């Protein structure tokens, strides 16, 4: 009777948590005045690359959890979220899902113990706490492990952007027109961010070069600063088309050199594993005579 009652309470708790998650996730949130004023002032809030100031569904739950509990988020993580084209709410939703999964998985053990009529011990509760903590930090680990690939993809994207601008300038487009046309070609996160910055500069009736520098600081792309300086001088009448092409070629050659160095390092790290089969084969020829000598 006690085990059946405990099983019913546990199932009811899980169903209640599921219903509460569905209700909270389906709520729509209105736009806060502070966020709207922040955007109008030209200062971006926490990164929402898809322009959703307030997400909906499960992301709303993750954003509410982050704001209510004041969960920390480092500047490097915000930058990685920008590169991933993810919002802060989506990141903390992943943390919430992984934490709940790690917390609820050991309850299967508890349910099995109750179904068999055994008295549950404290181990399922301990494993649930450890699983919740591990699930929370698993999202951070997954985000940090993708930083190298994201940085390589972003570098290739910005070099492609420079090439497109150089081609537009060769087609006799002005500096501002070349940058806007090159940014509008792709739907990649970096290109969309540059396009939104250029649109903001157009609405403010200002030059786009400070906005490019701002994007370079947000995405940690120092090449954009040099590019903005070159384009600004060219817009003022200086004939710097050749300088721009030379700078683009220099950046691409430096990137290729880094890629070759990384590939060479990865190849060198495999040398040990390549020599292990030869060592094992040599041991197969050496060990039998040694055993024969020692036995005699």
């Amino acid at each position: 009777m006690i085990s059946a009652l405990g099983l019913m309470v546990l199932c009811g708790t899980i169903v209640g948590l599921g219903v509460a998650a569905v209700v909270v996730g389906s709520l729509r949130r209105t736009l806060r005045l502070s966020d709207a004023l922040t955007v109008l002032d030209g200062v971006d809030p926490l990164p929402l690359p898809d322009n959703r100031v307030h997400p909906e569904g499960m992301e709303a739950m993750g954003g509410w959890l982050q704001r209510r509990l004041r969960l920390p988020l480092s500047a490097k993580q915000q930058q990685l979220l920008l590169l991933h084209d993810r919002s802060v709410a989506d990141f903390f939703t992943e943390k919430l899902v992984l934490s709940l999964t790690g917390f609820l998985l050991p309850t299967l053990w508890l349910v099995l113990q109750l179904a068999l009529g055994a008295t549950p011990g404290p181990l399922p509760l301990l494993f649930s706490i450890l699983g919740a903590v591990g699930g929370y930090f698993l999202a951070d680990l997954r985000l940090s492990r993708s930083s190298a690939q994201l940085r390589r993809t972003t570098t290739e994207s910005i070099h492609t952007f420079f090439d497109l601008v150089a081609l537009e300038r060769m087609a006799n487009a002005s500096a501002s027109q070349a940058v806007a046309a090159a940014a509008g070609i792709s739907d990649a996160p970096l290109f969309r961010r540059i396009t939104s910055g250029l649109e903001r500069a157009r609405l403010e009736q200002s030059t786009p070069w400070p906005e490019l520098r701002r994007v370079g600081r947000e995405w940690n792309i120092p090449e954009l600063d040099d590019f903005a300086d070159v384009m600004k001088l060219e817009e003022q009448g200086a004939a710097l088309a050749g300088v721009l092409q030379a700078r683009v070629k220099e950046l691409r050659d430096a990137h290729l050199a880094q890629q070759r160095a990384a590939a060479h390092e990865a190849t060198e790290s495999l040398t040990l594993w390549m020599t292990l089969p030869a060592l094992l084969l040599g041991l197969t020829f050496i060990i039998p005579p040694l055993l024969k000598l020692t036995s005699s």
Side-chain angles (χ1 to χ4, degrees):
M1 178 64 70
I2 297 178
S3 60
L5 179 60
L7 181 60
M8 292 175 60
V9 170
L10 180 62
C11 293
T13 303
I14 295 175
V15 172
L17 288 175
V19 172
V22 171
V23 171
V24 174
S26 62
L27 294 178
R28 292 177 177 267
R29 305 197 60 178
T30 58
L31 178 65
R32 291 190 305 181
L33 181 60
S34 60
D35 290 338
L37 294 177
T38 301
V39 174
L40 291 177
D41 290 338
V43 180
D44 290 336
L46 289 177
L48 293 173
D50 49 359
N51 295 325
R52 292 173 293 177
V53 179
H54 279 287
E56 301 174 357
M58 288 295 295
E59 290 190 26
M61 185 186 302
W64 175 85
L65 182 67
Q66 190 267 337
R67 291 190 301 270
R68 181 65 62 180
L69 300 180
R70 300 181 182 274
L71 298 176
L73 187 69
S74 64
K76 182 179 179 180
Q77 288 177 330
Q78 293 188 31
Q79 189 177 89
L80 289 176
L81 289 176
L82 279 174
L83 298 179
H84 267 295
D85 195 17
R86 294 179 59 188
S87 63
V88 176
D90 179 67
F91 178 62
F92 279 95
T93 300
E94 180 185 3
K95 281 178 168 288
L96 177 61
V97 171
L98 292 176
S99 297
L100 288 178
T101 303
F103 181 79
L104 294 178
L105 278 179
T107 58
L108 297 176
W109 183 10
L110 179 62
V111 171
L112 183 61
Q113 287 181 334
L114 293 174
L116 296 177
T119 303
L123 286 181
L125 179 60
L126 178 61
F127 287 157
S128 295
I129 297 175
L130 293 178
V133 175
Y136 181 85
F137 290 104
L138 180 61
D140 297 329
L141 179 62
R142 292 181 57 188
L143 185 65
S144 62
R145 290 183 63 180
S146 64
S147 60
Q149 177 64 28
L150 284 173
R151 178 55 55 190
R152 183 163 56 250
T153 303
T154 303
T155 303
E156 294 174 356
S157 298
I158 198 63
H159 291 166
T160 303
F161 173 73
F162 292 160
D163 290 335
L164 293 174
V165 173
L167 290 175
E168 291 290 339
R169 288 294 294 142
M170 292 174 63
N172 293 327
S174 64
S176 301
Q177 292 174 350
V179 173
I185 288 178
S186 176
D187 196 33
L190 178 59
F191 283 71
R192 290 208 312 267
R193 177 63 185 90
I194 295 176
T195 301
S196 64
L198 296 177
E199 183 66 19
R200 175 184 294 176
R202 186 185 67 82
L203 294 176
E204 294 177 352
Q205 296 183 355
S206 61
T207 58
W209 318 127
E211 191 65 32
L212 287 180
R213 296 189 184 93
R214 179 182 177 186
V215 175
R217 289 192 301 269
E218 288 180 359
W219 291 64
N220 193 19
I221 305 176
E223 295 90 344
L224 268 179
D225 291 338
D226 298 338
F227 174 78
D229 294 336
V230 173
M231 297 303 293
K232 181 179 179 180
L233 293 175
E234 191 171 12
E235 189 181 43
Q236 294 175 354
L240 298 178
V243 176
L244 177 61
Q245 295 178 9
R247 179 58 176 164
V248 170
K249 184 177 183 301
E250 179 183 353
L251 292 174
R252 189 171 292 279
D253 291 341
H255 177 63
L256 290 177
Q258 292 178 358
Q259 293 295 101
R260 290 170 181 169
H264 180 71
E265 183 179 354
T267 303
E268 290 295 329
S269 64
L270 295 176
T271 304
L272 174 63
W273 305 105
M274 295 170 61
T275 56
L276 282 179
L279 292 176
L280 294 176
L281 182 61
L283 290 176
T284 57
F285 289 104
I286 295 175
I287 291 178
L290 291 177
L291 292 177
K292 185 175 182 181
L293 291 175
T294 56
S295 62
S296 61

